[in-house]
């Protein structure tokens, strides 16, 4: 009978060892698969760069109403008639007023 008990005990030890090793391998594989799934599911970290603010828009020239332009041209014409402005000065100022 001692031979039979020894055989059963040996089988139990081998079986227990095999089960422990198998469980450890299974846990390790499950951990690797979970890590792979996590790596696939998680997007790659991207660096976020803040866009530089757009340059300020150039200020439009002051909107001079048509009435203001007409009054300035009248005054300019009067100064020319009085002889205060020469013909060249008158034309330069008239061009400036009309361009604004």
């Amino acid at each position: 009978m001692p031979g039979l008990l020894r055989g059963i005990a040996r089988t139990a030890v081998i079986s227990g060892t095999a089960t422990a090793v198998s469980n450890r391998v299974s846990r390790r594989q499950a951990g690797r698969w979970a890590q792979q799934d996590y790596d696939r599911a998680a997007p790659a970290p991207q660096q976020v760069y803040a866009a530089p603010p757009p340059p300020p828009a150039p200020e439009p020239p002051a909107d001079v109403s048509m009435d203001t332009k007409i009054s300035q041209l009248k005054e300019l014409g009067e100064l020319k008639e009085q002889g205060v402005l020469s013909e060249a000065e008158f034309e330069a100022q008239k061009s400036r007023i009309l361009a604004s």
Side-chain angles (χ1 to χ4, degrees):
M1 189 69 102
L4 182 61
L5 286 179
R6 186 185 295 171
I8 293 172
R10 183 182 296 158
T11 303
V13 168
I14 292 171
S15 174
T17 304
T19 301
V21 170
S22 174
N23 288 341
R24 184 170 181 216
V25 169
S26 294
R27 279 193 306 267
R28 189 181 299 170
Q29 268 187 335
R32 286 181 184 163
W33 290 340
Q35 182 64 36
Q36 287 175 354
D37 289 344
Y38 177 78
D39 291 343
R40 287 185 195 141
Q46 298 179 355
Q47 292 183 350
V48 178
Y49 296 103
E59 294 185 24
D63 187 57
V64 179
S65 69
M66 189 57 86
D67 293 335
T68 306
K69 286 183 180 182
I70 291 173
S71 66
Q72 288 176 344
L73 288 172
K74 284 181 182 179
E75 290 176 20
L76 198 60
E78 290 173 2
L79 290 173
K80 180 184 169 204
E81 286 176 8
Q82 294 172 4
V84 176
L85 293 177
S86 68
E87 183 67 32
E89 292 172 328
F90 172 77
E91 289 299 323
Q93 291 298 320
K94 183 173 88 171
S95 298
R96 184 187 59 81
I97 291 171
L98 293 175
S100 64

